[in-house]
Amino acid sequence: MTPDSTSAVLTGTAPTDPAIGLTAAQVAERQARGQVNATSQASSRSLWAIVQANVFTRFNAILGALFVLILITGSLADGLFGVVLVVNSAIGIVQEYLAKRKLDRLALLNSPTTVVVRDGEPVEIATTAVVLDDLIELRTGDQVPADGRMLSTAGLEIDESNLTGEADAIPKAPGDEVRSGTTVVAGTGRFVAAAVGPDAYINKIAAEAKKFTRTRSEIQESVNKLLKYITWIIALALPLQLWSQWRAIGEQGWQQVVIRSTGGLVGLVPEGLVLLTSVAFLLAAVQLTRQQVLVQELPAVEGLARVDVVCLDKTGTLTVGEIAYEGVEPVGPDGDRWTTEQVCQALGALADDGNANGTLKALGSALPAPQGWERTETVAFNSARKWSCAAFAGRGTIVFGAPDVLLDAGDPLRDRVAELATTGRRVLLLAHTDAAPNGATLPDGVRPRSLITLTEQVRPDAQETLDYFKDQGVAIKIISGDNPTTVAAIARRVGLDVPPDTVVDARTIGDDPEELREIAERTTVFGRVSPEQKRALVQALQRNGHVAAMTGDGVNDALALKDADIGVAMGNGAQATKAVAQLVLLDGRFSHMPSVLAEGRRVIGNVERVANLFVAKNVMSLIAIVTAALFTLPFPFLPRHLTLVSAVTIGIPAFFLALGPNKRRYVPGFLRRVLRFAVPAGAVAGLVVIVSYLLARTTVVAPPAAQCAVRTRGGSEIPVDVACFLPSSAATLALLITAFWILVVLARPFRPWKAALVGSMVALAALAFIVPLARDFFDFSLTPTLLWQSALVGAVGAAAVEIIYRTAPDLKAAAAR
């Protein structure tokens, strides 16, 4: 039973008419049955998935449990961190949802399309709108959208490497099976969709459609590692804190133990770190959409910032991707040489092809199709063999392609080709033979008839973009299928330094990544590169320790883009190329690359600042918890105190710092740098807390713990000696001073907006001590002696933080930018 009859049995309808395809009524019937080419894979996370990711986290669970316990004690003021928890989650949900809507709309506008025949007319529809039994038309560069068997073909070749692992393109004849997810690299054809959507082969083995993914990200890996460490610390600190507070203030009742214990545990939770990391990625992606850059995988923004070598395909990146016909130069023996008119007629006949590639379209726009040329057979162009041919009734076979492929090794015509190529022109050869086409094998008896020159327009912004990469220490590798001499000439036109010994004809090298490592390192321009070699060169650079980006627009770039650390496709490129890329330059402008690089560096640099703030707070809390346990002291803070400190020195500033500009170059070692500064800085802050707390208790001779029960809100008010609040107030002030200096250090280099941010946060903290209502809410009380004493301890801590900063070369280097 054929696929057509199988699908007909399933639908209860007649087989698809190979001439007119499905009718509108048949399409509607299949749509009603759900027999469409849609899958459950979405272009981004659903709203429920977003809510889950931002609400149901391990740290939200910890804070939520502590919040419930605080509510039970009746001390509502100490449950302020619960409000912050809700606000953080709400911000994350709203930001990601807004970004999701923008990215989904953009992804929809640029979603893949398929040509189907309905009611006898070819129409272009979204690939997801294909229905069972649709008559699908395939063209070069298309991805096969469904499974089926070919009805008709014309030089059709399909790359099935993503299914079979075989890199060679497979010729397809009528009756041959095609599967979804494969790529058309040459020719045309039609087939009937026998399996669509979840029933298609590609969807059974892997989800190849665009979706919300998290590729390798140093930031996310480092943050996840930090969260794992912190989770273990919390697990160990929880019983220690409860035990120590029960020993210190157990006689006040379990409520007071819970309140003081919560104060330490809240400080161990980096409640905003994951949120701000996600928001930074999302807003970077949204910012890039305004510059016509579609981010298909969020961590790609960061990934490009880590790139230290960019591999370019000449066409579409250095050049505009559009070539123009320049002229012909007939060749051959005088008695057998074609005239210019004969050459132009042959070129016009070749260009009169419904599946013409870019080169033939350029010829067709300049040379009219001649009368009386009847095409009988076509072998479409293939980037691996680098030629195409067509047979015409009574006129033999016209072969058109790369001169260095079609000419014999010793042919003197090669010298003229090289001479023309040095000028940056694109040179092709027109040849003729009386033999019939022989599939992928070059026909016998091919005789050169003319050299064809075409010109490529260099992008006006190419030199500026390449200069930017050079200034940023990013190496450039041009990997092209064109003549290496031509490619080198164009590279020099855009300002690249290309000595002759850095230009290689890829036909002289292999395709084993291990063997290519040395040559990939020292070579700038590769010409005549096959799709498999492009992929192998990218892999060779990766094995040399490079983070490699690959840009391209053609089907022959798809394999390399897929294996590169970051794949960047041009918006006018083939659908197969855009499908595997992490970034798509929608307007095809290579000049957007510096903006993407800058966004990635901004994300990395700013998230590193934010991580330092959170980790320093965690270390401070851990030091305070352990010290309180050792000396059998009440924990120095109430939860409300740490909520204030976290808000003005971490939470609010971190949000702005995470989204501000940052031009710092990427330097490996995110987690190492964070720990190298945050751990000693946090330890200093912890010591400041303990020293100021103990000094205050000694100075004011604090009453016994039994007389210092915390006042509750919503429960019974317990009269408390004001001296009970002095040690905590002193510790809070000293911590604020040291924490603000940590913020100052991490905010460098200073800009007016950063100064205003820090100044406003200092003012907010001061108001908590000055305004009576706020002072009463936080239970702050300080004598003049304690004020200066605590300020001095905090200042000493700030000085220690400054010393840590000045002895950390990475931080100083970052602040210099």
Side-chain angles (χ1 to χ4, degrees), residues 141-171:
D142 287 349
Q143 272 196 308
V144 180
D147 299 346
R149 291 188 182 276
M150 298 306 304
L151 294 179
S152 62
T153 62
L156 183 68
E157 295 183 17
I158 292 182
D159 178 4
E160 299 180 344
S161 59
N162 61 333
L163 299 183
T164 65
E166 295 291 335
D168 293 335
I170 309 299

Side-chain angles (χ1 to χ4, degrees), residues 267-588:
L268 287 176
V269 180
E271 63 272 9
L273 181 56
V274 178
L275 164 71
L276 287 174
T277 302
S278 300
V279 169
F281 276 133
L282 284 163
L283 294 189
V286 172
Q287 175 66 25
L288 288 172
T289 63
R290 300 191 181 103
Q291 302 177 48
Q292 292 298 297
V293 178
L294 175 61
V295 180
Q296 303 200 96
E297 299 183 13
L298 294 181
V301 177
E302 173 213 335
L304 191 58
R306 295 189 287 109
V307 164
D308 60 359
V309 58
V310 176
C311 303
L312 308 175
D313 178 30
K314 171 182 64 66
T315 305
T317 51
L318 299 184
T319 62
V320 296
E322 297 177 359
I323 55 177
Y325 166 75
E326 184 181 70
V328 301
E329 187 176 306
V331 297
D334 291 338
D336 191 41
R337 182 177 299 182
W338 282 9
T339 65
T340 299
E341 181 180 357
Q342 287 177 302
V343 173
C344 291
Q345 283 185 337
L347 290 174
L350 274 178
D352 186 22
D353 183 349
N355 193 41
N357 59 19
T359 302
L360 291 180
K361 287 178 181 177
L363 295 176
S365 64
L367 302 171
Q371 298 293 323
W373 286 64
E374 181 186 351
R375 185 186 297 257
T376 58
E377 191 173 350
T378 298
V379 176
F381 177 81
N382 177 280
S383 59
R385 60 174 177 266
K386 303 187 185 306
W387 57 264
S388 63
C389 70
F392 297 90
R395 301 179 185 273
T397 300
I398 305 297
V399 182
F400 187 57
D404 44 359
V405 172
L406 299 178
L407 293 175
D408 293 335
D411 196 314
L413 195 54
R414 286 178 173 269
D415 294 335
R416 178 56 180 161
V417 172
E419 181 182 349
L420 291 171
T422 57
T423 64
R425 291 181 175 90
R426 185 175 181 184
V427 185
L428 296 171
L429 179 70
L430 181 76
H432 176 264
T433 179
D434 293 328
N438 187 23
T441 303
L442 189 67
D444 295 329
V446 172
R447 299 188 300 278
R449 292 301 185 185
S450 179
L451 295 177
I452 316 300
T453 56
L454 302 101
T455 57
E456 293 189 80
Q457 182 182 351
V458 173
R459 287 185 178 274
D461 51 12
Q463 182 167 351
E464 181 181 354
T465 304
L466 294 181
D467 286 345
Y468 174 84
F469 281 123
K470 181 180 178 180
D471 292 341
Q472 299 299 313
V474 178
I476 299 295
K477 305 287 183 183
I478 301 178
I479 304 176
S480 175
D482 284 348
N483 183 294
T485 306
T486 303
V487 178
I490 291 177
R492 294 185 183 104
R493 285 170 58 188
V494 295
L496 280 181
D497 181 19
V498 186
D501 61 349
T502 64
V503 181
V504 167
D505 187 326
R507 291 173 303 172
T508 64
I509 60 178
D511 57 6
D512 184 342
E514 194 63 33
E515 296 177 358
L516 292 175
R517 290 179 61 176
E518 190 273 333
I519 196 170
E521 198 69 33
R522 60 177 171 82
T523 304
T524 301
V525 172
F526 295 88
R528 296 302 182 205
V529 185
S530 69
E532 294 75 22
Q533 285 180 313
K534 287 190 178 186
R535 182 186 211 175
L537 286 168
V538 167
Q539 293 174 345
L541 289 167
Q542 291 171 325
R543 293 186 185 187
N544 286 343
H546 292 289
V547 179
M550 176 72 196
T551 71
D553 61 351
V555 175
N556 60 325
D557 300 316
L559 296 177
L561 261 70
K562 190 170 186 178
D563 278 10
D565 294 283
I566 298 296
V568 183
M570 299 299 168
N572 57 352
Q575 290 180 11
T577 307
K578 290 186 286 186
V580 300
Q582 286 87 19
L583 300 171
V584 179
L585 307 181
L586 297 174
D587 56 5

Side-chain angles (χ1 to χ4, degrees), residues 6 41 43 305 324 455 501 507 544 605 723 737 752 787 799:
T6 300
Q41 294 292 337
S43 61
T455 57
D501 61 349
R507 291 173 303 172
N544 286 343
I737 293 172
L787 176 64

Side-chain angles (χ1 to χ4, degrees), residues 37-189:
N37 203 36
T39 67
S40 59
Q41 294 292 337
S43 61
S44 63
R45 293 194 289 186
S46 66
L47 178 58
W48 174 239
I50 291 172
V51 171
Q52 285 181 304
N54 285 276
V55 174
F56 302 110
T57 67
R58 73 183 82 176
F59 294 120
N60 279 3
I62 294 170
L63 287 176
L66 295 175
F67 178 63
V68 171
L69 289 175
I70 288 293
L71 292 182
I72 293 174
T73 67
S75 184
L76 300 184
D78 290 309
L80 192 61
F81 67 88
V83 177
V84 176
L85 177 69
V86 173
V87 171
N88 274 349
S89 295
I91 290 174
I93 292 169
V94 171
Q95 291 282 14
E96 186 168 346
Y97 177 68
L98 293 177
K100 163 191 163 62
R101 290 182 59 190
K102 291 182 180 180
L103 294 175
D104 281 357
R105 283 199 298 267
L106 200 54
L108 180 62
L109 290 174
N110 295 277
S111 58
T113 58
T114 297
V115 175
V116 297
V117 179
R118 291 178 178 175
D119 291 318
E121 296 293 331
V123 292
E124 187 174 356
I125 63 173
T127 299
T128 54
V130 172
V131 300
L132 190 68
D133 299 326
D134 249 329
L135 181 58
I136 297 172
E137 187 171 289
L138 297 178
R139 301 172 181 175
T140 301
D142 287 349
Q143 272 196 308
V144 180
D147 299 346
R149 291 188 182 276
M150 298 306 304
L151 294 179
S152 62
T153 62
L156 183 68
E157 295 183 17
I158 292 182
D159 178 4
E160 299 180 344
S161 59
N162 61 333
L163 299 183
T164 65
E166 295 291 335
D168 293 335
I170 309 299
K172 294 293 182 180
D176 287 348
E177 184 181 25
V178 288
R179 288 179 169 176
S180 58
T182 55
T183 304
V184 180
V185 295
T188 61

